[in-house]
């Protein structure tokens, strides 16, 4: 470039510095495309809904406290990641990084965020308290999927009605079994027969493992009572 052009560029930079533009470096970048802005909106919305869940949802608060007591404190920025995912999933637990993935392009409502975070926190709780072989032992995966479906609110009566499933006898057990099988098939390349066999073999023991809730939280009020009971249990144990 010519010396005059360099001098003009330098003068322009000095003028921008005088106006404080150096404090807002994004102002000098090319405008984001519509797609980029949309993705940012997804990400921002995801983080806002996550914060709301962690602060106010009794399922999530109980699980966070239980994990902390087990020596596995969960940090918002470290252990949660809002990302774009395949359209068939709402979230996932990455045991290799101990990180919960939240599908920002698929989670659209606060109630959905509450269920996904709770579901994945149950996996994280199981990972913390037990030596779960997520990749090689399909029974271990099946057990955690049963617990997550049972305790996260995935199978409440209202959710089942929303799926157009009415009047099912033992609807909780049926729903938990079906969703556990679906979850295994979504994340592992195994046959449906293999998934069903694993779920059936561990179903009774894992369906009745209600830690740390102590009950199946069929509603938000159930979860609040479970959270209160957990706090009282902790105080009782501390005084023994």
């Amino acid at each position: 470039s010519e010396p005059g052009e360099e001098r003009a560029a330098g003068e322009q930079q000095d003028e921008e510095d005088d106006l404080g533009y150096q404090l807002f470096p994004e102002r000098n970048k090319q405008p984001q495309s519509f797609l980029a802005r949309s993705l940012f909106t997804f990400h921002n919305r995801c983080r806002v809904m996550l914060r709301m869940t962690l602060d106010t949802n009794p399922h999530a608060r109980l699980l966070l406290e239980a994990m902390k007591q087990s020596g596995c404190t969960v940090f918002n920025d470290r252990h949660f990641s809002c990302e774009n995912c395949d359209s068939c999933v709402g979230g996932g637990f990455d045991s290799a990084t101990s990180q919960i993935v939240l599908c920002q392009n698929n989670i659209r409502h606060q109630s959905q965020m509450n269920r996904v975070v709770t579901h994945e926190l149950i996996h994280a709780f199981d990972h913390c308290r037990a030596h779960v072989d997520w990749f090689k032992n399909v029974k271990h995966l099946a057990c955690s999927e049963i617990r997550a479906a049972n305790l996260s609110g995935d199978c409440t009566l209202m959710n089942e009605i929303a799926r157009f499933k009415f009047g099912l006898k033992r609807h909780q057990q049926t729903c938990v079994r079906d969703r556990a099988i679906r979850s295994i098939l979504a994340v592992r390349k195994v046959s449906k027969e293999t998934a069903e066999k694993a779920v059936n073999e561990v179903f009774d023991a894992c369906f009745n493992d209600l830690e740390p809730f102590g009950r199946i939280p069929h509603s938000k009020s159930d979860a609040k009572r479970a959270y209160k009971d957990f706090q009282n249990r902790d105080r009782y144990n501390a005084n023994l």
Side-chain angles (χ1 to χ4, degrees):
S1 60
E2 295 293 328
E5 292 175 346
E6 292 178 355
R7 184 167 61 254
E11 290 173 355
Q12 181 180 0
Q13 183 63 51
D14 290 342
E15 182 180 352
E16 288 178 351
D17 288 346
D18 289 340
L19 294 173
Y21 276 97
Q22 78 278 8
L23 299 178
F24 307 95
E26 292 287 333
R27 302 300 301 175
N28 291 325
K29 293 183 178 179
Q30 291 293 324
Q32 288 183 315
S33 68
F34 176 79
L35 177 61
R37 290 198 304 273
S38 298
L39 292 177
F40 172 78
T41 300
F42 284 153
H43 186 80
N44 188 55
R45 181 182 64 184
C46 176
R47 300 301 303 186
V48 169
M49 288 195 295
L50 170 62
R51 184 73 268 165
M52 178 69 72
T53 295
L54 298 181
D55 286 345
T56 66
N57 183 261
H59 297 79
R61 293 179 68 191
L62 191 160
L63 284 159
L64 291 172
E65 192 164 324
M67 289 187 67
K68 184 177 181 179
Q69 287 190 18
S70 298
C72 301
T73 300
V74 177
F75 298 99
N76 184 359
D77 294 332
R78 163 67 183 85
H79 294 107
F80 292 93
S81 178
C82 289
E83 302 175 10
N84 289 314
C85 311
D86 188 278
S87 60
C88 71
V89 293
F93 175 66
D94 183 355
S95 60
T97 59
S98 297
Q99 195 169 50
I100 288 171
V101 177
L102 301 170
C103 298
Q104 61 192 18
N105 54 320
N106 296 330
I107 300 175
R108 296 179 175 84
H109 309 289
Q110 188 64 51
S111 60
Q112 186 182 9
M113 176 64 79
N114 292 343
R115 289 197 307 274
V116 172
V117 169
T118 300
H119 184 109
E120 303 306 334
L121 276 175
I122 292 169
H123 291 322
F125 176 76
D126 288 347
H127 184 70
C128 174
R129 69 170 181 156
H131 299 291
V132 181
D133 187 345
W134 297 99
F135 299 105
K136 295 182 180 179
N137 193 325
V138 70
K139 288 184 183 179
H140 287 190
L141 175 61
C143 187
S144 192
E145 291 294 356
I146 290 166
R147 283 175 31 77
N150 195 29
L151 300 173
S152 65
D154 287 347
C155 289
T156 62
L157 184 58
M158 290 306 297
N159 283 334
E160 283 292 86
I161 291 174
R163 298 177 190 124
F164 301 104
K165 295 183 178 179
F166 307 98
L168 289 174
K169 291 183 178 179
R170 295 167 61 84
H171 85 88
Q172 182 77 11
Q173 289 90 333
T174 301
C175 173
V176 167
R177 181 178 274 104
D178 289 348
R179 293 188 71 79
I181 293 169
R182 286 179 56 192
S183 293
I184 293 170
L185 293 175
V187 299
R188 294 291 180 271
K189 291 183 178 180
V190 299
S191 67
K192 186 176 181 180
E193 291 73 18
T194 298
E196 289 176 343
K197 185 173 184 290
V199 167
N200 289 335
E201 287 181 356
V202 301
F203 188 83
D204 288 341
C206 299
F207 183 84
N208 291 303
D209 179 0
L210 305 179
E211 286 298 310
F213 291 90
R215 70 183 77 195
I216 298 175
H218 291 289
S219 64
K220 201 168 184 178
S221 59
D222 278 348
K224 287 180 179 179
R225 283 193 293 270
Y227 183 38
K228 185 175 181 180
D229 290 345
F230 182 86
Q231 290 177 310
N232 291 335
R233 179 173 61 178
D234 178 42
R235 296 189 189 100
Y236 173 78
N237 291 335
N239 291 325
L240 289 179

